[in-house]
Amino acid sequence: MKSTYALSLLVSLLFLTMYQSFSQSRPRDLGVPFGILPAGPGNAITDVPGVKVGQLTKIEGQDIRTGVTAILPHGGNIFQEKVPAAIFVGNGFGKLAGVTQVQELGNLESPIILTNTLSVAAGIEGVVRYSLAQPGNESVQSVNAVVGETNDGYLNDIRGMHISPEDVLMAMRSAKTGQVEEGNVGAGTGTVCFGWKGGIGTASRKLPESMGGHTVGLLVQTNFGGNLQIAGVPVGEKLGKYPFKDALEKSDGSCMIVVATDAPVLERNLERMAQRAMMGLAKTGGIASNGSGDYVIAFSTHEGLRIPHSIPSQRLQKAEFLGNDDMTALFMAVIEATEEAIINSLFAAESMVGKEDRKIESLPKPQVLDWILEKK
């Protein structure tokens, strides 16, 4: 009897240890391959020097499952020291505030905020208040707040509009370099991806010195559908969750993608980098369906390309930047990091119960890993 109990206890402990390993480890640590370029030291958007990320997660009662994720291009006054930027619209069924000014002027003058669809207005107010309060901005009367969203209304009481401008301010003020939490956090708290629990994901690539030595970092808010593929394995088909098969989770949804780099790249080639992020999304099985809002925001933190808010009239601007022939490695870095960031969001996310007692399960990682490792 004692030996049976001991064996049962041992099996339980082994299962718990394996579960904790799966839930705490990122896919590449478990043997999932992602391209050929090396990741940065933290495999996160914050590997790009100066980039900071802050998150506010709001889980209250049975119905509130939402949050805010803030990305700051650098730690200074972003309005006074704007950065080159571009936006690419993969599919425009969404609400991205501030897009036209970035496209027109080719620069970013505020933190980037990600939240839920009906909280974009709160995001704008939070960014404006944050910017107006910055020392040096006492005379500022216009701020182009860039705020993106996905719809977390399946798990979250989105009509309650539970995100306030103060929440947005808290996310920005908490922004820091270093490790970025993934999964059910920030703007990814209530999201659903490929029929499984989605969330926030991040990844990076560090180019070898022969290719410039630059860093590319990605952050994604995953809330979209399609036919999930991981490392070439048709996971969606194997698990029976894909468009036109699963009536609960359709292919519509959205994905916000933020690309950062320290490479000296101006807005035209930043847009080309942003375009490649959609290739990374496609590698995971995303299809940018009719009802999907898929936006990519790309910016460069290179100090030599900063755009001062006030420039004397007729003064010529000088800048050194990469030419077209040097972009290929950066394109590959974006594709690989986008793919990995999306899969990271799925591996980090945990099952969640939300509005109206609805439940979204997390990706069954042990089964998925078995398929991937078998293929290798």
Side-chain angles (χ1 to χ4, degrees):
M1 192 73 172
K2 289 183 179 180
S3 62
T4 302
Y5 174 77
L7 180 61
S8 176
L9 181 61
L10 178 61
V11 170
S12 298
L13 288 172
L14 285 173
F15 177 81
L16 180 61
T17 301
M18 182 178 70
Y19 175 80
Q20 289 176 334
S21 174
F22 284 134
S23 63
Q24 296 174 4
S25 299
R26 301 176 85 185
R28 69 165 46 237
D29 299 328
L30 298 170
V32 179
F34 292 104
I36 59 173
L37 294 173
N43 197 19
I45 192 171
T46 47
D47 288 336
V48 178
V51 174
K52 296 182 176 183
V53 174
Q55 304 198 79
L56 180 137
T57 301
K58 185 166 281 194
I59 299 176
E60 298 176 3
Q62 187 66 34
D63 296 337
I64 301 176
R65 304 286 186 270
T66 193
V68 180
T69 298
I71 302 97
L72 279 61
H74 60 76
N77 186 327
I78 302 167
F79 187 89
Q80 296 295 333
E81 290 187 273
K82 308 176 200 300
V83 296
I87 292 173
F88 179 71
V89 181
N91 192 73
F93 197 104
K95 293 82 185 165
L96 176 58
V99 59
T100 56
Q101 184 169 312
V102 175
Q103 291 176 329
E104 184 72 20
L105 303 183
N107 62 52
L108 180 70
E109 65 183 27
S110 78
I112 298 166
I113 299 298
L114 306 180
T115 186
N116 73 64
T117 305
L118 297 186
S119 295
V120 170
I124 294 171
E125 183 175 343
V127 169
V128 170
R129 288 168 55 182
Y130 174 89
S131 299
L132 295 182
Q134 293 276 292
N137 292 354
E138 291 80 8
S139 300
V140 170
Q141 298 188 60
S142 173
V143 178
N144 187 51
V146 176
V147 184
E149 53 79 28
T150 70
N151 193 312
D152 57 16
Y154 186 78
L155 290 172
N156 175 51
D157 172 30
I158 193 168
R159 288 173 58 90
M161 300 173 69
H162 300 288
I163 295 298
S164 67
E166 288 73 22
D167 293 331
V168 179
L169 283 165
M170 287 179 64
M172 287 184 286
R173 290 167 179 164
S174 70
K176 63 184 188 305
T177 60
Q179 184 178 0
V180 177
E181 194 174 356
E182 298 177 301
N184 301 359
V185 295
T189 301
T191 61
V192 182
C193 188
F194 293 111
W196 306 100
K197 186 65 188 70
I200 295 296
T202 189
S204 71
R205 290 296 183 272
K206 174 72 172 176
L207 299 186
E209 292 302 322
S210 62
M211 295 180 177
H214 309 299
T215 299
V216 173
L218 265 290
L219 185 141
V220 297
Q221 175 192 17
T222 60
N223 191 57
F224 63 99
N227 187 6
L228 176 60
Q229 300 183 50
I230 304 177
V233 176
V235 173
E237 293 176 46
K238 285 178 174 287
L239 294 175
K241 281 185 180 287
Y242 53 92
F244 321 116
K245 166 67 175 177
D246 185 46
L248 171 65
E249 177 58 25
K250 298 179 180 179
S251 60
D252 286 346
S254 298
C255 187
M256 290 299 308
I257 304 174
V258 179
V259 181
T261 185
D262 60 358
V265 182
L266 291 178
E267 62 272 15
R268 182 178 57 81
N269 272 325
L270 282 168
E271 182 176 6
R272 298 176 74 203
M273 291 175 66
Q275 292 169 355
R276 269 59 179 189
M278 292 301 296
M279 296 182 182
L281 184 145
K283 289 189 70 176
T284 68
I287 58 176
S289 66
N290 176 70
S292 190
D294 304 307
Y295 298 89
V296 188
I297 307 166
F299 62 85
S300 171
T301 66
H302 192 275
E303 291 191 16
L305 299 183
R306 299 277 171 86
I307 303 117
H309 175 62
S310 298
I311 304 173
S313 177
Q314 301 302 311
R315 175 178 292 181
L316 297 179
Q317 303 301 297
K318 297 180 181 179
E320 295 182 333
F321 50 90
L322 294 179
N324 296 336
D325 291 341
D326 292 319
M327 293 302 301
T328 300
L330 292 169
F331 293 161
M332 181 177 288
V334 170
I335 294 168
E336 290 187 6
T338 304
E339 177 189 17
E340 184 168 6
I342 291 170
I343 303 306
N344 282 347
S345 77
L346 284 163
F347 267 68
E350 299 177 352
S351 299
M352 177 172 280
V353 177
K355 183 180 70 175
E356 299 176 3
D357 208 32
R358 295 171 179 170
K359 184 175 184 179
I360 294 294
E361 300 283 352
S362 63
L363 187 72
K365 294 179 278 288
Q367 178 64 78
V368 171
L369 284 167
D370 283 345
W371 290 328
I372 293 170
L373 298 178
E374 283 174 10
K375 185 176 181 292
K376 290 177 65 179

